[in-house]
Amino acid sequence: MSWNKIICSHKELQLFGTLNGGQSFRWNYDKINDEWVGVFSRTVWKLKQNDDHIQYQVIGSLIKEFDTKDSISYEKLLKDYFRLDLNLVKYYKEWSEKDELFQTACQQFYGIRMLRQEPVENLFSFICSQNNHISRISSMVEKLCTHYGDEICTTDGVTYFSFPQVEKLAVCDVESKLRQLSFGYRAKFIQKSAAQIVEWGGERWFNNLQDMKYKDAKQELMKLHGIGPKVADCICLMSLNHLDALPVDTHVYQIAAQNYLPHLRGKKNVTDKMYTEIGDHFRKLYGDMAGWAHTVLFCADLKKFQQNDDIKCESQKKRRKK
C-alpha cells in the first residue's frame, strides 16, 4: 500500500507529543517501523513523521461515501483532525512572548496540536479516565470498541473497531456488561450518560454545545452522570472547539502553584474556587486559546513526571539487588 503525503513541518505538528499526551487513547507507536497506528472517524490510519511532511496510509474505513483510494477526501479529514489550518508556529511565538515558562517548554514540546476529536468518543473516553492511568484508559476504550463498535478491518493480525455510537451504549444491560469487563463505577456513568444524550437529541445536542459559549456548554455537560468540572473541560477543549477551556488536575495545579500562583502552594485539594482561579489566570495570560497553550506545559510536566517515575523505579530495582 502506497503512502500519501501532507506537507507540514515538524515544528507545526509533532506526532509523538500530540498523540502520546493523553488527548486520545486509540494511537499506538510502532518502534520497529517508526510509525503510528490509530483509529478515528471510523477509519484505521498509519502515520509517519518527517521533517517537512507527514506520511499517511488509510488501512481500512467504514466511511461509505469515501473510496479508500480517495486521497483528497482522507487528506482533508486528517488535516481537520490535526487542525492544520491553524498556524501553530505563530501562536507559539505569541505565547512565548507572554510567558517565560512556555518559552522554555516549547523548545522540546514544539508542534503540540489540539486534536479535533469526535464528541462521543471524547466524552466516554474521559469518563473512563477518572482516577485512572493512560494504559488502563486505553484498554477500557478498546473494550468499548470491541464489544459495541463496528469492525473496520484486520491488519497485521489485529482487528480494529470503530468507536460505538451513543445509542449502543444507552441500552440498559450495558452497565452490567461493563462491570463484568472491570469498568467498575464508570459502567453506570457510561450507560446513564449515554441514555441522557440519546434522550436530549444525540448529535443535535452535541452540535448545540459547540454553538454555546464555553461556560454554558460546560454547565450542560455537567448535567450528565459522572461528568465533573475537569472532564467537562476536557470535552469542551478537545471536541467542542472551546479552546479556552482548561482542565485542572493535579499536574495543572502543581504547574500553577509552583510557577504562577504561589499562594496556592501546599493545598491538599483543589477547591471549586481554586479551580476557577487557575483557569481564569491562564485565560488572562494566553487569551482565547488558553487550553491549547496550557496543553504544551502539561505535556512538559507529564514528561518530567514520567522521567522522575522511571528514575524512582530504577533506584528501587538497585535497592532490591543489594
Side-chain angles (χ1 to χ4, degrees), residues 181-229:
L181 293 171
S182 303
F183 277 68
Y185 63 86
R186 301 171 195 85
K188 180 179 180 180
F189 292 165
I190 290 169
Q191 191 277 322
K192 296 293 186 187
S193 291
Q196 285 176 287
I197 293 168
V198 171
E199 182 184 348
W200 295 341
E203 187 174 339
R204 181 165 42 83
W205 181 72
F206 280 115
N207 290 338
N208 289 338
L209 294 184
Q210 293 188 51
D211 293 336
M212 289 180 184
K213 292 182 178 178
Y214 151 57
K215 291 187 177 179
D216 293 334
K218 179 178 177 178
Q219 289 303 314
E220 285 299 306
L221 284 166
M222 288 171 62
K223 293 176 182 177
L224 294 171
H225 282 271
I227 302 288

Side-chain angles (χ1 to χ4, degrees), residues 60-308:
S61 181
L62 296 178
I63 304 178
K64 294 179 180 178
E65 59 268 33
F66 287 7
D67 185 303
T68 52
K69 296 178 182 178
D70 183 4
S71 60
I72 295 175
S73 296
Y74 284 108
E75 178 176 321
K76 183 179 179 184
L77 202 61
L78 196 60
K79 284 181 174 179
D80 187 61
Y81 182 67
F82 285 115
R83 300 177 186 267
L84 291 181
D85 59 324
L86 185 141
N87 184 337
L88 191 55
V89 170
K90 178 175 79 73
Y91 280 99
Y92 263 53
K93 184 175 183 294
E94 289 179 10
W95 297 333
S96 294
E97 289 170 352
K98 293 177 179 178
D99 183 11
E100 288 184 10
L101 186 62
F102 185 93
Q103 191 172 36
T104 302
C106 76
Q107 299 305 309
Q108 181 181 358
F109 294 90
Y110 53 83
I112 303 297
R113 293 239 160 214
M114 186 56 57
L115 300 173
R116 193 192 303 274
Q117 299 186 59
E118 294 172 310
V120 172
E121 177 177 340
N122 186 222
L123 188 150
F124 291 102
S125 295
F126 275 88
I127 287 181
C128 293
S129 76
Q130 297 177 59
N131 299 311
N132 226 336
H133 52 79
I134 288 178
S135 61
R136 188 156 179 262
I137 301 164
S138 299
S139 173
M140 285 183 168
V141 170
E142 288 308 318
K143 286 177 183 178
L144 286 176
C145 298
T146 302
H147 289 274
Y148 298 102
D150 297 319
E151 183 175 332
I152 301 172
C153 65
T154 299
T155 182
D156 298 329
V158 179
T159 301
Y160 293 90
F161 296 83
S162 66
F163 197 87
Q165 295 175 322
V166 68
E167 289 81 6
K168 290 188 177 181
L169 297 176
V171 179
C172 291
D173 64 359
V174 165
E175 180 183 345
S176 59
K177 177 67 175 177
L178 292 182
R179 286 189 182 276
Q180 292 172 19
L181 293 171
S182 303
F183 277 68
Y185 63 86
R186 301 171 195 85
K188 180 179 180 180
F189 292 165
I190 290 169
Q191 191 277 322
K192 296 293 186 187
S193 291
Q196 285 176 287
I197 293 168
V198 171
E199 182 184 348
W200 295 341
E203 187 174 339
R204 181 165 42 83
W205 181 72
F206 280 115
N207 290 338
N208 289 338
L209 294 184
Q210 293 188 51
D211 293 336
M212 289 180 184
K213 292 182 178 178
Y214 151 57
K215 291 187 177 179
D216 293 334
K218 179 178 177 178
Q219 289 303 314
E220 285 299 306
L221 284 166
M222 288 171 62
K223 293 176 182 177
L224 294 171
H225 282 271
I227 302 288
K230 184 216 160 189
V231 171
D233 273 330
C234 287
I235 299 160
C236 282
L237 175 63
M238 298 174 191
S239 61
L240 298 178
N241 210 36
H242 295 297
L243 299 178
D244 50 344
L246 203 138
V248 179
D249 65 0
T250 302
H251 290 290
V252 176
Y253 158 70
Q254 289 172 347
I255 292 168
Q258 292 303 315
N259 300 283
Y260 303 94
L261 302 168
H263 63 282
L264 297 183
R265 291 175 189 170
K267 306 295 184 183
K268 292 183 178 180
N269 299 300
V270 178
T271 64
D272 291 344
K273 183 180 178 182
M274 288 166 58
Y275 189 106
T276 301
E277 182 179 359
I278 292 168
D280 287 346
H281 174 83
F282 287 109
R283 279 184 280 272
K284 184 176 180 181
L285 178 62
Y286 293 127
D288 59 5
M289 289 176 63
W292 190 327
H294 196 273
T295 296
V296 180
L297 299 184
F298 176 83
C299 286
D301 187 74
L302 193 63
K303 181 66 175 177
K304 183 172 66 178
F305 173 78
Q306 288 169 340
Q307 287 173 336
N308 290 342

Side-chain angles (χ1 to χ4, degrees), residues 8-15 49-53 110-111:
C8 177
S9 162
H10 66 288
K11 289 290 186 181
E12 281 288 341
L13 169 58
Q14 180 192 156
L15 290 180
Q49 178 88 61
N50 296 274
D51 281 346
D52 62 353
H53 67 276
Y110 53 83

